[in-house]
Amino acid sequence: MDAIDAAILRILQQNGRIANAELAEKVGLSASACSRRVDILEKSGVISGYHARLSHKALDYRIMVIVHISLSGQFAKTLTEFEAAVKLCPNVLVCYLMSGEYDYILRVAAKDLEDYERIHRDWLSALPHVVKINSSFSLREIIDRPNVGV
């Protein structure tokens, strides 16, 4: 990856729908050379996809909850079963396997407290091997950066 690839990535992070011709002009390449570079970045996994960034607030998801989960153990089977089940919960936006006090940290979107109670009861408490759930409610979002520095 060189400086032109980095410039392509910075621009695509700001506008993933930019026309190839415009992108090529901004980075100083021909349209075909730019298209080839983007294709290489996609095939190598540097660009993992394109998506629309939705507003949780506009979709009436007013509560973000950080959920710390402890499991009964960290055996491969336990982790595999938990991870397969948590992927099915549509309100779980992010799930990280952690080191430290908790096994997993999740970011969960809920419409209100009643909705979170439902998610907790029907989904989180039903996940396999869970022995402890600790929920923290976000008061206000300060930053949710979709872009990484390139």
Side-chain angles (χ1 to χ4, degrees):
M1 192 163 88
D2 61 15
I4 293 175
D5 289 336
I8 289 170
L9 295 173
R10 280 192 298 275
I11 293 166
L12 286 175
Q13 284 188 115
Q14 295 301 315
N15 179 6
R17 297 181 71 183
I18 190 170
N20 183 63
E22 185 179 351
L23 177 60
E25 183 179 322
K26 287 182 182 248
V27 297
L29 293 174
S30 69
S32 61
C34 184
S35 180
R36 280 193 300 276
R37 282 187 181 244
V38 170
D39 189 51
I40 290 167
L41 291 167
E42 290 171 349
K43 287 180 179 168
S44 69
V46 173
I47 296 174
S48 62
Y50 300 89
H51 68 277
R53 187 172 168 93
L54 306 180
S55 165
H56 296 120
K57 186 177 179 181
L59 293 170
D60 204 29
Y61 287 94
R62 297 184 305 260
I63 295 178
M64 282 296 152
V65 188
I66 305 302
V67 181
H68 298 80
I69 293 184
S70 295
L71 302 182
S72 58
Q74 288 202 349
F75 305 104
K77 183 177 188 267
T78 303
L79 299 177
T80 300
E81 289 174 359
F82 174 86
E83 290 172 11
V86 78
K87 289 176 183 177
L88 300 175
C89 180
N91 294 82
V92 174
L93 304 177
V94 177
C95 177
Y96 296 106
L97 173 63
M98 303 298 294
S99 64
E101 183 178 354
Y102 294 97
D103 296 309
Y104 290 91
I105 294 180
L106 286 58
R107 184 165 45 116
V108 176
K111 293 185 179 273
D112 52 32
L113 285 174
E114 192 174 277
D115 188 38
Y116 182 68
E117 180 184 7
R118 176 194 60 78
I119 296 163
H120 188 284
R121 179 188 64 241
D122 297 347
W123 288 95
L124 302 179
S125 296
L127 291 169
H129 312 291
V130 170
V131 294
K132 183 177 180 183
I133 299 173
N134 182 318
S135 304
S136 300
F137 294 85
S138 168
L139 300 177
R140 178 169 47 103
E141 183 178 285
I142 306 304
I143 187 168
D144 183 13
R145 186 175 289 130
N147 302 332
V148 64
V150 183

